[in-house]
């Protein structure tokens, strides 16, 4: 099957945009990744991996390679295969994307991603207003404010923290593109449109309203602002302008909190309640009501994971056996509340320690840390903000176990890698998305 270079670039670029815009939708994204892989199999000769690209591809694929290396440690062959399948995209993305890195326009792909995802969120918010009017009414009257973000995320078909992780990157990217549009002195209409997209993206992050997301979006904004002003002004002006704009964003957030009294409770008494009951949650009256989402529950889980991990060094319990072993440990240590709800680890580093032993957290650190290296080496605040977002998100959750975390990180890591290779090679892109 023959195809012109121009047509190949168009199809290749279409797949990148489509996958980027559907990362939050498991089934459509899965089929697109499958079709993307099949398409590139027909034209595998176009994949050219340099030495640098190959090293980067192995780094991106490292979680998959670790599971493969320790596959013998699974008690169930079928469950081991099922676990391994989740990370296959970490092999496909770098192989295809880094092998075609000259075809990718980072800036334009990012623009399509931000605009399309924001438009999709507008559609889903409007749909939510009409399909779930009772929740809007309750929210408007200050009733059950905690449930709005989770119900909205569920209406899309994704867990709220995972959705907000995606939306935070969209919002930080929107600010990044807004500042660039100001710098390149685009027409006032385009600048206003970029500003509007940024405002809407921030609003949706506030709507979903998860704790780590609000922290990460503020840090991401500050990183992008500081980097932008540092390239143009002296340190005093950089600090002044960053503080002023950061203060405006914090002011908006403060007003939002004032209108949402549950947030005051959520970020103070709810989050830090019962910290003297670590490992003893069953002593709390109705813990599912009082501490289901509190820090004390997370710390109790982490304590159990750590203790269980130490018993299974150096190779862990196996990729497919982590959660069953952990639930059994809850029961053995009389932590029936944790066992009843079968709480997962909620920390990617500890989860990897439990499943793979000493190599687990080292591989996770290599995977996530390399994203940070790319951001620093390129002096690109957006890439470093992505690193910070994914690193901190995995301190309180385990996103390298979930489709939405694996594809999100694997795809953008590969895109960042292609941008890094372009800068190191000083090449011009040939993508149609330009």
């Amino acid at each position: 099957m023959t195809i012109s270079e121009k047509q190949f670039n168009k199809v290749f670029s279409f797949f990148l945009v489509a996958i980027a815009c559907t990362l939050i939708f498991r089934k459509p994204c899965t089929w697109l990744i499958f079709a993307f892989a099949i398409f590139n199999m027909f034209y595998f000769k176009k994949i050219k991996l340099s030495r640098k690209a190959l090293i980067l591809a192995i780094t991106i694929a490292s979680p998959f390679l670790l599971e493969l290396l320790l596959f013998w440690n699974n008690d169930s062959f079928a469950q081991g295969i099922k676990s391994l399948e989740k990370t296959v995209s970490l092999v496909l993305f770098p192989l295809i994307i880094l092998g075609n890195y000259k075809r990718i326009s980072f800036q334009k792909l990012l623009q399509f991603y931000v605009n399309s995802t924001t438009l999709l969120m507008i559609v889903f918010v409007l749909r939510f207003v009409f399909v779930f009017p009772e929740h809007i009414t309750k929210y408007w009257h200050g009733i059950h404010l905690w449930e709005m973000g989770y119900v909205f995320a569920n209406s899309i078909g994704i867990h709220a923290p995972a959705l907000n992780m995606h939306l935070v990157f969209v919002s930080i990217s929107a600010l990044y593109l807004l500042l660039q549009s100001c710098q390149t002195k685009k027409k006032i209409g385009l600048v206003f449109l970029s500003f509007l997209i940024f405002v809407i993206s921030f609003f949706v992050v506030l709507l979903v309203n998860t704790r780590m997301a609000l922290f990460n979006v503020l840090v991401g904004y500050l990183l992008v602002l500081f980097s932008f002003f540092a390239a143009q002004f002296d340190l005093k002006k950089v600090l002044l302008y960053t503080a002023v704009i950061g203060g405006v964003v914090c002011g908006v957030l403060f007003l939002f909190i004032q209108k949402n009294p549950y947030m005051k409770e959520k970020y103070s008494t709810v989050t830090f309640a019962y910290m003297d009951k670590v490992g003893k949650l069953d002593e709390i009256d109705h813990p599912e009501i009082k501490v289901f989402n509190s820090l004390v529950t997370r710390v109790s889980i982490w304590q159990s994971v750590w203790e269980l991990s130490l018993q299974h060094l150096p190779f862990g319990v196996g990729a497919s056996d982590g959660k069953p072993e952990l639930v059994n440990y809850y029961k053995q240590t009389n932590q029936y509340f944790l066992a009843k709800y079968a709480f997962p680890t909620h920390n990617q580093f500890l989860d990897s320690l439990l499943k793979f032993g000493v190599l687990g957290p080292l591989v996770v650190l290599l995977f996530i840390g390399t994203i940070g290296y790319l951001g620093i080496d390129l002096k690109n605040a957006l890439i470093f903000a992505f690193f910070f977002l994914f690193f901190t998100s995995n301190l309180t959750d385990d996103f390298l176990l979930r489709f939405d975390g694996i594809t999100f990180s694997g795809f953008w890591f590969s895109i960042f890698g292609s941008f890094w290779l372009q800068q190191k090679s000083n090449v011009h892109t040939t993508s149609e998305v330009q």
Side-chain angles (χ1 to χ4, degrees):
M1 186 184 297
T2 59
I3 187 172
S4 69
E5 193 70 11
K6 184 177 181 180
Q7 286 300 114
F8 180 85
N9 288 337
K10 284 183 177 180
V11 177
F12 187 85
S13 299
F14 164 78
F15 272 118
L16 290 183
V17 171
I19 290 171
C21 296
T22 57
L23 285 171
I24 59 177
F25 307 106
R26 180 175 185 134
K27 289 184 178 179
C29 190
T30 299
W31 283 109
L32 280 168
I33 293 171
F34 180 73
F36 185 50
I38 295 297
F39 171 73
N40 281 276
M41 281 177 60
F42 283 111
Y43 304 101
F44 68 92
K45 290 184 179 180
K46 293 182 180 291
I47 297 175
K48 294 177 173 58
L49 287 170
S50 65
R51 185 185 174 193
K52 287 181 179 178
L54 183 60
I55 293 172
L56 201 53
I58 291 171
T59 303
I60 298 171
S62 58
F64 173 87
L65 297 175
L66 178 63
E67 282 210 40
L68 197 61
L69 177 66
L70 297 178
F71 187 83
W72 57 268
N73 203 21
N74 291 301
D75 288 342
S76 167
F77 179 83
Q79 290 300 315
I81 291 293
K82 185 177 180 181
S83 177
L84 194 63
E85 285 176 347
K86 293 180 181 180
T87 54
V88 168
S89 62
L90 296 181
V91 177
L92 295 176
F93 282 145
L95 179 65
I96 297 171
I97 293 174
L98 297 180
N100 290 279
Y101 75 91
K102 294 180 182 180
R103 306 177 191 279
I104 298 167
S105 174
F106 175 67
Q107 190 81 7
K108 292 300 181 181
L109 174 62
L110 191 68
Q111 187 81 63
F112 272 96
Y113 167 69
V114 169
N115 293 351
S116 300
T117 306
T118 303
L119 179 60
L120 279 171
M121 287 303 107
I122 293 173
V123 171
F124 278 112
V125 169
L126 292 175
R127 170 181 171 271
F128 188 80
V129 170
F130 289 106
V131 176
F132 301 94
E134 68 279 6
H135 288 288
I136 301 298
T137 302
K138 287 164 66 177
Y139 188 82
W140 186 258
H141 291 92
I143 302 170
H144 293 170
L145 296 172
W146 60 270
E147 69 179 6
M148 172 65 88
Y150 284 86
V151 175
F152 174 70
N154 288 336
S155 72
I156 298 175
I158 186 172
H159 187 46
L163 174 61
N164 234 9
M165 180 178 65
H166 289 261
L167 297 179
V168 165
F169 182 58
V170 169
S171 193
I172 297 170
S173 300
L175 177 61
Y176 175 82
L177 293 170
L178 170 61
L179 294 174
Q180 289 208 331
S181 67
C182 294
Q183 186 178 32
T184 54
K185 298 179 181 179
K186 289 186 176 180
K187 293 181 180 179
I188 189 67
L190 294 176
V191 174
F192 177 75
L193 180 61
S194 295
F195 175 74
L196 187 62
I197 289 170
F198 165 65
V199 170
I200 294 172
S201 68
F202 182 47
F203 163 77
V204 181
V205 171
L206 292 178
L207 175 66
V208 180
N209 190 12
T210 53
R211 282 166 286 205
M212 287 304 298
L214 294 181
F215 168 71
N216 280 314
V217 79
L218 292 177
V219 171
Y221 288 166
L222 291 175
L223 286 170
V224 170
L225 286 169
F226 186 87
S227 175
F228 175 76
F229 291 128
Q232 303 180 60
F233 305 110
D234 58 50
L235 183 59
K236 287 184 178 179
K237 287 184 178 179
V238 169
L239 294 174
L240 175 62
Y241 294 154
T242 303
V244 170
I245 298 178
V248 171
V249 174
C250 289
V252 172
L253 182 58
F254 176 78
L255 291 175
F256 181 79
I257 292 173
Q258 291 301 309
K259 295 294 183 180
N260 189 332
Y262 175 70
M263 285 188 69
K264 297 179 185 178
E265 183 182 357
K266 177 180 180 180
Y267 289 93
S268 55
T269 56
V270 171
T271 297
F272 300 103
Y274 300 99
M275 288 305 295
D276 59 324
K277 297 295 184 182
V278 173
K280 300 178 288 186
L281 299 180
D282 292 276
E283 294 180 8
I284 302 170
D285 185 35
H286 298 299
E288 64 275 4
I289 297 174
K290 296 179 179 178
V291 295
F292 199 91
N293 290 312
S294 295
L295 181 61
V296 66
T297 302
R298 288 280 206 278
V299 176
S300 297
I301 295 168
W302 297 338
Q303 178 178 274
S304 297
V305 177
W306 176 256
E307 292 170 353
L308 183 58
S309 298
L310 293 181
Q311 296 177 15
H312 291 84
L313 293 178
F315 299 118
V317 300
S320 66
D321 305 308
K323 190 170 182 179
E325 290 286 345
L326 181 58
V327 173
N328 286 334
Y329 188 75
Y330 292 151
K331 295 175 182 177
Q332 292 170 16
T333 53
N334 301 319
Q335 298 184 84
Y336 300 111
F337 166 63
L338 296 181
K340 177 181 178 181
Y341 292 98
F343 281 97
T345 55
H346 287 293
N347 181 294
Q348 187 59 59
F349 295 91
L350 286 175
D351 184 85
S352 296
L353 177 65
L354 175 62
K355 291 179 177 177
F356 306 113
V358 292
L359 284 176
L362 293 177
V363 168
V364 173
L365 188 60
L366 172 68
F367 180 86
I368 300 177
T370 304
I371 302 174
Y373 166 77
L374 295 180
I376 293 171
D377 193 54
L378 290 169
K379 296 181 175 61
N380 187 296
L382 179 64
I383 296 176
F384 190 80
F386 183 97
F387 151 74
F388 187 84
L389 165 65
F390 199 64
F391 175 77
T392 54
S393 296
N394 278 289
L395 293 178
T396 58
D397 223 315
D398 32 32
F399 284 111
L400 285 176
L401 304 181
R402 303 168 54 91
F403 173 87
D404 38 50
I406 293 168
T407 53
F408 176 64
S409 59
F411 178 81
W412 284 111
F413 194 170
S414 300
I415 296 296
F416 299 151
S418 70
F419 184 53
W420 181 76
L421 290 170
Q422 288 171 12
Q423 299 305 304
K424 293 301 176 183
S425 306
N426 194 28
V427 300
H428 299 287
T429 63
T430 58
S431 170
E432 288 294 321
V433 186
Q434 295 187 48

